[in-house]
Amino acid sequence: MKEYEVIQEITNTCGGDKVPQTKIEEMKLADPGAYVKSRHPKDFDRAVKEEMEGGGIKYTLALGAVTYKYVFNEI
């Protein structure tokens, strides 16, 4: 398992709110993708994975008016 700083953002544009709700925490994970899949088991196949500069991993899942973003940076 590796230790990650995980930044979770939820943006809900219903009602015009474009400011994401952000949560930052440290987690020990074997696989960041498995974590995202556990949070969104029905919609995981729609998630877009992006390798970021510096080795971070970002998953974006756009579900209509709600967008979920997970950024994993290894500590």
Side-chain angles (χ1 to χ4, degrees):
M1 287 205 179
K2 295 181 182 178
E3 191 166 356
Y4 294 93
E5 173 190 66
V6 182
I7 303 168
Q8 301 175 40
E9 292 183 358
I10 302 172
T11 305
N12 185 348
T13 58
C14 278
D17 187 13
K18 295 186 182 194
V19 178
Q21 295 177 358
T22 304
K23 179 180 175 183
I24 301 171
E25 60 186 313
E26 293 181 6
M27 297 181 180
K28 289 185 181 181
L29 301 168
D31 178 13
Y35 173 77
V36 176
K37 187 172 184 174
S38 74
R39 300 287 305 238
H40 305 278
K42 293 180 183 178
D43 300 309
F44 179 73
D45 60 331
R46 296 172 56 188
V48 176
K49 179 182 177 183
E50 179 183 343
E51 301 284 333
M52 301 170 53
E53 287 186 34
I57 301 168
K58 178 167 79 172
Y59 285 89
T60 304
L61 180 60
L63 300 174
V66 180
T67 300
Y68 299 90
K69 291 182 185 175
Y70 298 89
V71 178
F72 299 88
N73 292 304
E74 193 172 339
I75 297 175

